[in-house]
Amino acid sequence: DAGITQSPRHKVTETGTPVTLRCHQTENHRYMYWYRQDPGHGLRLIHYSYGVKDTDKGEVSDGYSVSRSKTEDFLLTLESATSSQTSVYFCAIRVGTTYEQYFGPGTRLTVT
Amino acid sequence: KNEVEQSPQNLTAQEGEFITINCSYSVGISALHWLQQHPGGGIVSLFMLSSGKKKHGRLIATINIQEKHSSLHITASHPRDSAVYICAVPDSGGGADGLTFGKGTHLIIQP
């Protein structure tokens, strides 16, 4: 499982509240990714990181911010959650110089 | 941006049948990723391949880079193979190579 954990695994929150999801890895991989998975859309890239304090936007970054202050942790923040951000969120790491990615167990977020 | 298409979207088959799932993409790539997701479960990497064929147990993946096409085959299918199978390619625009995904093929193997 490449030592990836996500927390929390499930969360229900109200519209307008801030939410932070955490991805933690134990193997010092440089590249980390946040994806969301929605019916009819599949998986889509939100943000990614290519090192400590180095992050960039993906396809669906509006309404999300990220931070990476140390190699092992990549945080995804919804500053003011909206119902359209109800989704399953997956963190992933990229192994070495290949394009292969390994995924965390996912966080199911419901915004009411 | 690469466009990734999978077919079929849904597939129901009987135990023991030979299964083929197809993936095509619009922009040339150097590698393609096949993933598996069981209902309510996490996403597991099956294969990363850049040419030819790879085999792991009853799963076989092939890729034709010139035709921008890959197939995932399952031999002697079993109900435990029931899952969503997803193909993905590196994002052609991103330096850190996030993935662009197909929408997945929902496979059900009936006993």
Side-chain angles (χ1 to χ4, degrees):
Chain A
D1 64 1
I4 308 168
T5 57
Q6 292 184 231
S7 59
R9 295 293 313 280
H10 302 271
K11 186 170 182 67
V12 180
T13 193
E14 293 184 349
T15 298
T17 59
V19 177
T20 295
L21 309 183
R22 179 182 183 237
C23 177
H24 179 79
Q25 56 139 334
T26 59
E27 299 181 359
N28 285 329
H29 295 292
R30 179 182 174 191
Y31 296 102
M32 299 183 75
Y33 306 83
W34 276 108
Y35 297 97
R36 60 178 289 176
Q37 185 178 39
D38 304 288
H41 291 280
L43 286 149
R44 292 176 292 173
L45 180 65
I46 305 171
H47 279 280
Y48 61 94
S49 171
Y50 45 98
V52 173
K53 292 187 174 24
D54 292 323
T55 65
D56 208 344
K57 297 178 179 180
E59 177 188 358
V60 291
S61 60
D62 286 350
Y64 302 95
S65 63
V66 290
S67 66
R68 193 167 178 200
S69 59
K70 44 187 178 176
T71 300
E72 57 265 37
D73 288 325
F74 191 29
L75 304 181
L76 178 71
T77 297
L78 291 66
E79 301 289 349
S80 178
T82 67
S83 58
S84 65
Q85 294 175 311
T86 292
S87 187
V88 181
Y89 292 85
F90 287 95
C91 171
I93 56 96
R94 175 178 153 188
V95 176
T97 57
T98 73
Y99 296 106
E100 190 165 12
Q101 295 187 16
Y102 292 91
F103 290 77
T107 294
R108 184 173 295 275
L109 176 67
T110 302
V111 183
T112 61
Chain B
K1 184 180 182 321
N2 221 327
E3 301 293 331
V4 181
E5 297 288 337
Q6 285 186 239
S7 63
Q9 287 186 317
N10 298 282
L11 178 58
T12 300
Q14 295 298 121
E15 183 174 356
E17 287 189 36
F18 182 83
I19 303 298
T20 296
I21 298 169
N22 296 298
C23 177
S24 61
Y25 48 92
S26 59
V27 178
I29 58 169
S30 54
L32 182 142
H33 206 161
W34 280 103
L35 303 152
Q36 179 193 57
Q37 185 176 28
H38 280 102
I43 299 169
V44 175
S45 173
L46 295 176
F47 296 102
M48 173 65 73
L49 69 165
S50 55
S51 65
K53 180 194 316 191
K54 282 192 176 180
K55 185 174 188 288
H56 184 246
R58 294 179 295 103
L59 300 177
I60 303 166
T62 64
I63 189 168
N64 185 318
I65 293 289
Q66 287 73 31
E67 294 188 4
K68 299 187 180 65
H69 182 267
S70 176
S71 293
L72 178 68
H73 305 285
I74 305 174
T75 63
S77 59
H78 189 276
R80 64 175 174 267
D81 297 325
S82 298
V84 177
Y85 293 85
I86 304 167
C87 70
V89 299
D91 180 1
S92 56
D97 297 311
L99 296 173
T100 298
F101 300 81
K103 289 187 170 56
T105 294
H106 188 192
L107 175 66
I108 297 173
I109 303 296
Q110 295 178 334

